[in-house]
Amino acid sequence: MIQESELILNTDGSIYHINLKPSEVADTIILVGDPNRVPQVSAHFEHIEHKTQKREFCAHTGSYKGKRLTVISTGIGPDNIDIVINELDALFNIDLRTREPKKELISLNLVRFGTSGSLQADIPVDSFVLSSYGLGMDNMFHSYKDSVKVREIAMEDAFIAHTHWHLDKGRPYIVACGKELKKRLLTAQVFEGITGTAPGFYAPQGRELRLEVQDRTLNDKLHSYNYNGCRMTNLEMETSAIYGLSKLLGHQAVSLNAIIANRAMGTFTKNPKKIVEELIVYGLEQLVK
């Protein structure tokens, strides 16, 4: 039995952080960072059956063109992803009454609708990127014993050699997206490649304000990294953690990114709300096809 201190429930029986009960969540879940993006997604639903909000975790469950969906905000960063993915999995695959894992496990579909910065000059602002791989620079996933079973070790070794990675920052890890879900979401209008997941917005992504970064050439190295024709496309703060935990738990996960900045060209979208709305419509339509 999983102890109360390890699997924490609220007084109403909902799981601690995301404040949801099993009946309140669909098995296809859209992950967004910003709580304000949740109603932007659910505005497209025909009806909403449940809403909840606790801290940065806002969730709406309803239906889009007859398909039951949940959209939930994660907040920013791999640490928040650790909370959300584990608690979503627990709602489906742990009996909250007996506190025992279920014998028959359910595989979820998890799709991130996120914003990101492109590393390549030919991937312009206002375009979409699907993350075929998540490259984690955050260390969170190494806390899980069996992480090596789902990682792309040869790709990791090539990345470490290419970037002369400073190992005081920990070993980068790479995990592939869910192949079956990718088939539904990748079309000719979407770029595809390796998405870097940084543990912060400033120095971890090569930005300097008053503090100097450890490696001022890191973004150039990311830009030029290419493994058997698969190149780095963009930087953000969640994808690798979503991929790693989902794959360990037996779920399908794909990250769709609206490109709002181009780091190679120094440009930023003129209308971030418009490109995010276009990504939402695209993702929803692909999910119901």
Side-chain angles (χ1 to χ4, degrees):
M1 184 177 74
I2 301 169
Q3 298 299 311
E4 291 182 8
S5 60
E6 312 308 295
L7 175 62
I8 305 169
L9 302 180
N10 298 310
T11 55
D12 65 353
S14 62
I15 201 159
Y16 184 59
H17 293 94
I18 62 175
N19 202 37
L20 289 164
K21 300 175 185 177
S23 63
E24 297 167 347
V25 189
D27 60 11
T28 296
I29 301 162
I30 298 163
L31 307 172
V32 298
D34 184 355
N36 291 324
R37 197 170 296 152
V38 171
Q40 189 178 356
V41 175
S42 68
H44 295 272
F45 294 177
E46 284 91 34
H47 79 280
I48 299 171
E49 64 185 69
H50 182 77
K51 294 182 179 181
T52 188
Q53 169 93 47
K54 184 180 179 184
R55 301 184 186 182
E56 61 266 58
F57 309 112
C58 175
H60 292 181
T61 296
S63 63
Y64 178 76
K65 295 189 175 180
K67 184 174 182 64
R68 191 171 186 247
L69 299 169
T70 292
V71 54
I72 185 169
S73 59
T74 64
I76 298 173
D79 50 345
N80 276 21
I81 295 301
D82 182 61
I83 291 170
V84 172
I85 300 300
N86 274 293
E87 293 194 359
L88 286 172
D89 175 79
L91 290 175
F92 285 88
N93 292 317
I94 296 174
D95 186 320
L96 300 186
R97 183 181 58 82
T98 64
R99 296 180 169 272
E100 296 284 354
K102 295 179 180 178
K103 290 188 171 69
E104 294 185 12
L105 302 178
I106 293 173
S107 179
L108 306 175
N109 287 318
L110 301 160
V111 185
R112 178 176 184 259
F113 290 176
T115 56
S116 186
S118 168
L119 290 166
Q120 303 292 342
D122 66 318
I123 301 178
V125 296
D126 301 329
S127 62
F128 301 156
V129 168
L130 184 147
S131 309
S132 50
Y133 295 91
L135 189 158
M137 298 176 274
D138 57 272
N139 290 321
M140 181 278 291
F141 194 49
H142 294 307
S143 296
Y144 291 89
K145 178 182 177 182
D146 292 328
S147 68
V148 69
K149 293 182 179 179
V150 300
R151 286 164 39 202
E152 306 290 334
I153 302 300
M155 289 182 74
E156 295 174 9
D157 290 340
F159 177 79
I160 290 167
H162 176 78
T163 57
H164 304 287
W165 187 259
H166 197 297
L167 288 179
D168 280 357
K169 296 189 290 187
R171 180 186 172 94
Y173 64 92
I174 300 178
V175 183
C177 70
K179 292 182 179 179
E180 293 305 312
L181 190 55
K182 174 183 173 180
K183 292 176 184 176
R184 295 169 60 181
L185 294 166
L186 183 63
T187 68
Q189 70 185 91
V190 179
F191 292 93
E192 176 186 8
I194 304 167
T195 293
T197 296
F201 184 77
Y202 288 96
Q205 295 189 37
R207 292 183 174 94
E208 285 189 356
L209 299 183
R210 291 202 312 117
L211 296 175
E212 184 177 344
V213 302
Q214 180 271 324
D215 183 356
R216 284 179 167 170
T217 65
L218 178 59
N219 280 8
D220 291 333
K221 295 171 183 175
L222 296 177
H223 166 87
S224 59
Y225 176 65
N226 189 304
Y227 186 82
N228 293 338
C230 192
R231 63 178 177 163
M232 291 283 296
T233 48
N234 59 309
L235 265 178
E236 47 82 88
M237 295 177 62
E238 288 83 31
T239 292
S240 65
I242 294 169
Y243 284 9
L245 290 172
S246 295
K247 190 150 286 190
L248 271 186
L249 290 164
H251 307 308
Q252 290 278 311
V254 166
S255 181
L256 287 175
N257 307 271
I259 299 300
I260 60 172
N262 186 295
R263 301 295 298 281
M265 302 299 290
T267 55
F268 193 84
T269 180
K270 302 299 183 188
N271 194 339
K273 289 184 178 180
K274 180 174 182 289
I275 187 59
V276 169
E277 178 66 17
E278 289 174 357
L279 180 75
I280 289 168
V281 172
Y282 173 86
L284 289 172
E285 285 298 309
Q286 295 305 120
L287 283 172
V288 300
K289 279 188 177 179

